[in-house]
């Protein structure tokens, strides 16, 4: 099967070095200490972080650092055919371990001894690259929770089909049986925290593919930095008379001054509420 | 979530007795509800419902299958609810320590008498999932004989006795802040209204013993009639009063009852 056409287009119309469209959003799960949604093309993942909090299982408590736990689960409807068992199967356990090790390398655990940080990742839609999307979502969620980290961890996958290195494989390309290299890096420090590969590659081609994946990671890191500080989402709630009753802003860090211009309003609310902060900002 | 102290429980009960809840609502006020359909592209139908901080997603998948021999003219519907670990830390698969039975403290970490930890896998989440699935099954599909079902199962049968549609309704609790049953009921109703069952053309020449050939159309879809699907409303008793749409703090110390409304 031809994964890269002679004109240089892949099955979904992308160029070999082109990543899918990415989108990240903070604050998806209101009850969690930090949460985020991350989409890479059709792969959609929610991450929630609870912590630092008291260790539930005393025997696992570490006296000099925080305990990081991670769980990965896929929704029943995430794949094309309905999955029977969303949790506890081997692949989920393996990916949970991988995400845990990756995030543990970047969290400053020595600052929070005898505590526990839980990272839960839920896959809503799976279309290849779920591992990478989970790590990116976990990074955003940890940032949303305010947990101190060395750097942002971003992850991207790359493969090699029809003699072309391809960036960000989707499900069809992933199931082709070719090599799939997943890389996770600390963006600014330029260090690799995760490197996994399925199948085989000759050494020189592997260098190329890994370099391509690292470029992808850096591009995602640039995007994530923008999400963290500048995104302002204003879903508006109107009552039956059409009067604006409620605004909720997400993704804005406290301490930022936000200027909004909102045309076409039917009513002016008296308050603008920012979640993640108890204060309510007077609106004028 | 840490349990509520006695003072907090009294505060909530006292407030409700005076028709004032912690977030300013009256006893019979709902939180702002938002419903979106079509959120899962690869499912036949899907919906997402948000009630305050409670966030659930429901999806409907339809596959062709064989009807049960007891009811050959009816389709099969399976409802399954999954509580995602993102919803609350107690829903994870893994080893969870039980409350200590020697000194009745809620968490092992605060117990100084007992060192034993009884481990079992994910019971918190699975128990709630099973309860929710069973409750929704009863509400939407009625009793064992099919009486009182919200969905018209006979309309989904393709060839009587041989082929029918299997509907898999999956609910996922993404974030839990009380009132899960109402949110799931609303999500399932919205997902079913969004569901398109592909039209099936059955090959005419088929003998009684063989499996008939079916051609599933990609173009034409049948819409579901969701008129008969109930809307679930949960009333929670706090002290001597009832409230609607309880948050997780209001649900904690109280007895729970639910009533089903059409």
């Amino acid at each position: 099967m031809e994964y890269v056409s002679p004109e240089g287009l892949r099955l979904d119309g992308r160029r070999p070095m082109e990543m899918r469209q990415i989108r990240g959003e903070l604050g998806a799960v209101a009850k969690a200490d930090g949460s985020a949604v991350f989409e890479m093309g059709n792969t959609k993942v929610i991450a929630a972080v609870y912590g630092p909090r008291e260790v539930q299982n005393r025997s696992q408590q570490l006296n000099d650092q925080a305990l990081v736990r991670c769980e990965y689960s896929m929704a029943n409807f995430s794949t094309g055919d309905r999955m029977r068992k969303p949790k506890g199967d081997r692949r989920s356990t393996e990916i949970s371990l991988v995400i845990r090790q990756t995030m543990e390398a970047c969290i400053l655990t020595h600052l929070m001894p005898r505590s526990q940080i839980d990272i839960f990742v839920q896959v809503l839609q799976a279309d290849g690259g779920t591992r990478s999307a989970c790590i990116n979502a976990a990074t955003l969620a940890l940032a949303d929770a305010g947990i101190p980290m060395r750097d942002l961890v971003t992850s991207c996958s790359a493969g090699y089909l029809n003699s072309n290195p391809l960036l960000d494989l989707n499900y069809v390309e992933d199931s082709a049986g070719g090599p799939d290299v997943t890389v996770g890096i600390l963006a600014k420090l330029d260090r690799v925290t995760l490197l996994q590969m399925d199948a085989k590659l000759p050494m020189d081609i592997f260098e190329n593919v890994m370099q391509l994946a690292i470029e992808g990671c850096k591009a995602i890191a640039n995007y994530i930095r923008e999400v963290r500080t500048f995104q302002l989402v204003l879903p508006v709630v109107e009552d039956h008379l059409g009067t604006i009753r409620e605004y909720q802003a997400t993704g804005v860090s406290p301490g930022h001054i936000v200027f909004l211009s909102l045309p076409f309003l039917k009513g002016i609310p008296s308050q603008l509420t920012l979640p993640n902060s108890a204060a309510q900002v007077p609106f004028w | 979530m840490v349990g509520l102290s006695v003072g907090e429980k009294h505060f909530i009960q006292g407030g409700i007795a005076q028709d004032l809840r912690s977030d300013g609502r009256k006893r019979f006020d709902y939180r702002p509800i938002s419903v979106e359909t079509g959120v899962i592209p690869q499912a036949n139908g899907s919906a997402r419902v948000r009630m305050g901080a409670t966030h659930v997603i429901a999806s409907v998948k339809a596959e062709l299958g064989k009807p049960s021999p007891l009811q050959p003219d009816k389709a099969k519907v399976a409802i399954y609810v999954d509580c995602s670990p993102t919803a609350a830390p107690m829903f994870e698969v893994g080893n969870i320590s039980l409350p200590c039975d020697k000194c009745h403290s809620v968490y092992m970490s605060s117990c100084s008498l007992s060192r034993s930890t009884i481990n079992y896998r994910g019971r918190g989440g699975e128990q709630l999932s099973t309860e929710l699935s069973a409750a929704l099954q009863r509400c939407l599909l009625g009793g064992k004989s099919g009486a009182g079902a919200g969905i018209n199962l006979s309309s989904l049968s393709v060839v009587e006795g041989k082929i029918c549609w299997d509907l898999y309704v999956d609910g996922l609790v993404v974030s839990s802040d009380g009132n899960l049953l109402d949110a799931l009921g609303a999500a399932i109703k919205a997902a079913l209204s969004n569901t398109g069952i592909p039209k099936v053309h059955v090959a005419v020449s088929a003998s009684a013993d063989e499996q008939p050939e079916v051609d599933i159309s990609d173009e034409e879809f049948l819409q579901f009639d969701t008129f008969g699907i109930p809307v679930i409303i949960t009333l929670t008793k706090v002290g001597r009063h009832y409230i609607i749409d309880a948050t997780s703090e209001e649900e904690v110390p109280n007895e729970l009852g639910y009533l089903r409304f059409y």
Side-chain angles (χ1 to χ4, degrees):
Chain A
M1 191 177 164
E2 216 179 59
Y3 293 99
V4 184
S5 75
E7 298 91 44
L9 291 177
R10 289 151 79 172
L11 293 169
D12 50 5
R14 285 185 283 156
R15 296 260 151 218
M17 310 266 181
E18 197 182 322
M19 211 163 44
R20 289 177 289 184
Q21 182 146 45
I22 47 179
R23 195 182 85 93
E25 200 183 291
L26 294 177
V29 177
K31 281 231 115 184
D33 293 322
S35 60
V37 178
F38 198 80
E39 287 178 46
M40 285 170 89
N42 284 332
T43 298
K44 192 167 174 188
V45 155
I46 287 188
V49 167
Y50 290 88
R53 58 191 184 130
E54 200 174 342
V55 181
Q56 308 289 300
N57 193 352
R58 251 295 166 76
S59 58
Q60 291 177 341
Q61 185 177 287
L62 298 168
N63 283 325
D64 56 344
Q65 57 179 10
L67 178 71
V68 177
R69 290 161 80 227
C70 176
E71 188 175 327
Y72 166 95
S73 60
M74 299 182 78
N76 270 333
F77 42 79
S78 57
T79 54
D81 304 316
R82 188 178 172 268
M83 274 179 67
R84 301 295 140 163
K85 204 179 165 208
K87 302 178 207 175
D89 64 313
R90 280 211 193 153
R91 184 175 168 270
S92 300
T93 320
E94 190 232 329
I95 298 184
S96 305
L97 185 68
V98 162
I99 299 176
R100 189 185 73 77
Q101 286 176 338
T102 312
M103 304 322 292
E104 195 171 23
C106 87
I107 297 176
L108 295 168
T109 48
H110 62 273
L111 291 179
M112 298 163 286
R114 289 180 285 279
S115 69
Q116 175 178 308
I117 298 174
D118 288 322
I119 306 172
F120 298 119
V121 190
Q122 174 81 40
V123 177
L124 297 178
Q125 278 171 238
D127 187 27
T130 47
R131 207 170 299 224
S132 304
C134 289
I135 291 176
N136 296 327
T139 298
L140 276 174
L142 285 167
D144 190 37
I147 290 179
M149 294 196 282
R150 282 191 183 86
D151 196 354
L152 296 175
V153 188
T154 51
S155 167
C156 195
S157 66
Y160 190 76
L161 288 169
N162 291 145
S163 313
N164 286 80
L166 303 175
L167 181 61
D168 197 11
L169 305 171
N170 60 22
Y171 181 71
V172 181
E173 292 165 343
D174 206 357
S175 1
D180 173 18
V181 178
T182 307
V183 175
I185 60 166
L186 294 174
K188 271 220 172 111
L189 297 176
D190 209 14
R191 289 194 182 163
V192 175
T193 59
L194 168 69
L195 181 56
Q196 273 191 314
M197 180 167 80
D198 299 330
K200 291 190 288 193
L201 268 182
M203 198 57 200
D204 46 352
I205 300 180
F206 171 74
E207 301 263 358
N208 283 349
V209 171
M210 179 173 144
Q211 205 48 49
L212 183 60
I214 290 179
E215 297 297 320
C217 294
K218 292 201 171 138
I220 296 180
N222 284 338
Y223 173 78
I224 283 184
R225 273 188 209 109
E226 305 294 310
V227 168
R228 268 203 311 131
T229 50
F230 295 120
Q231 184 185 55
L232 182 64
V233 176
L234 288 180
V236 165
V237 175
E238 284 191 19
D239 69 5
H240 60 281
L241 297 173
T243 319
I244 309 290
R245 295 298 295 279
E246 206 173 272
Y247 286 96
Q248 283 181 333
T250 60
V252 181
S253 317
H256 276 90
I257 299 177
V258 176
F259 292 94
L260 304 171
S261 75
L262 299 164
F264 312 124
L265 286 185
K266 279 193 201 161
I268 310 287
S270 59
Q271 283 180 338
L272 182 65
T273 310
L274 302 176
N276 298 335
S277 76
Q280 291 187 317
V281 177
F283 186 87
W284 66 90
Chain B
M1 196 190 82
V2 185
L4 292 180
S5 70
V6 176
E8 282 174 305
K9 286 183 206 167
H10 278 148
F11 180 77
I12 292 176
Q13 276 181 5
I16 288 173
Q18 294 177 44
D19 202 18
L20 187 63
R21 293 156 75 172
S22 314
D23 46 8
R25 287 185 285 158
K26 305 257 180 189
R27 285 198 280 262
F28 295 134
D29 282 348
Y30 263 97
R31 287 170 285 187
I33 304 175
S34 91
V35 179
E36 266 175 76
T37 52
V39 291
I40 311 280
Q42 65 251 40
N44 291 73
S46 58
R48 175 212 304 260
V49 167
R50 270 188 245 246
M51 278 187 189
T54 297
H55 180 183
V56 302
I57 297 181
S59 92
V60 177
K61 274 219 163 104
E63 285 170 6
L64 283 178
K66 205 162 183 295
S68 107
L70 300 167
Q71 287 168 339
D73 62 334
K74 293 215 164 104
K76 293 186 303 212
V77 179
I79 303 182
Y80 175 70
V81 174
D82 182 27
C83 290
S84 163
T86 56
M90 62 196 83
F91 295 159
E92 50 180 300
V93 172
N95 296 326
I96 302 173
S97 40
L98 263 184
C100 168
D101 44 24
K102 283 193 190 151
C103 67
H104 300 293
S105 62
V106 179
Y107 290 107
M108 291 304 288
S109 52
S110 54
C111 168
S112 49
L113 295 176
S114 167
R115 282 264 145 222
S116 70
T117 310
I118 308 160
N119 295 321
Y120 48 24
R121 293 184 72 84
R123 189 159 120 183
E126 270 185 46
Q127 202 176 19
L128 183 62
S129 305
T130 331
E131 276 174 31
L132 289 170
S133 307
L136 285 166
Q137 198 119 26
R138 237 176 305 133
C139 282
L140 295 162
L141 298 176
K144 281 239 164 86
S145 62
I151 310 170
N152 184 1
L153 296 174
S154 317
S155 64
L156 293 174
S157 162
V158 177
V159 176
E160 190 173 317
K162 295 221 187 79
I163 302 180
C164 72
W165 283 107
D166 280 341
L167 280 187
Y168 294 103
V169 181
D170 290 310
L172 177 72
V173 177
V174 174
S175 168
S176 159
D177 192 22
N179 210 20
L180 285 176
L181 204 54
D182 291 17
L184 282 165
I188 290 178
K189 188 174 167 95
L192 284 169
S193 75
N194 179 240
T195 302
I197 310 276
K199 277 211 173 119
V200 180
H201 302 289
V202 187
V204 183
S205 57
S207 73
D209 294 334
E210 280 173 9
Q211 278 289 98
E213 284 180 23
V214 283
D215 173 36
I216 302 180
S217 157
D218 280 334
E219 305 292 321
E220 298 158 6
F221 290 91
L222 287 169
Q223 287 301 119
F224 237 92
D225 173 25
T226 54
F227 180 72
I229 297 181
V231 172
I232 303 175
I233 298 184
T234 306
L235 291 170
T236 309
K237 189 169 186 220
V238 180
R240 284 161 51 177
H241 303 273
Y242 287 94
I243 52 172
I244 274 190
D245 197 15
T247 63
S248 50
E249 288 150 352
E250 291 162 346
E251 272 181 356
V252 160
N254 308 301
E255 311 137 33
L256 186 73
Y258 72 84
L259 301 172
R260 174 168 74 149
F261 288 92
Y262 282 94

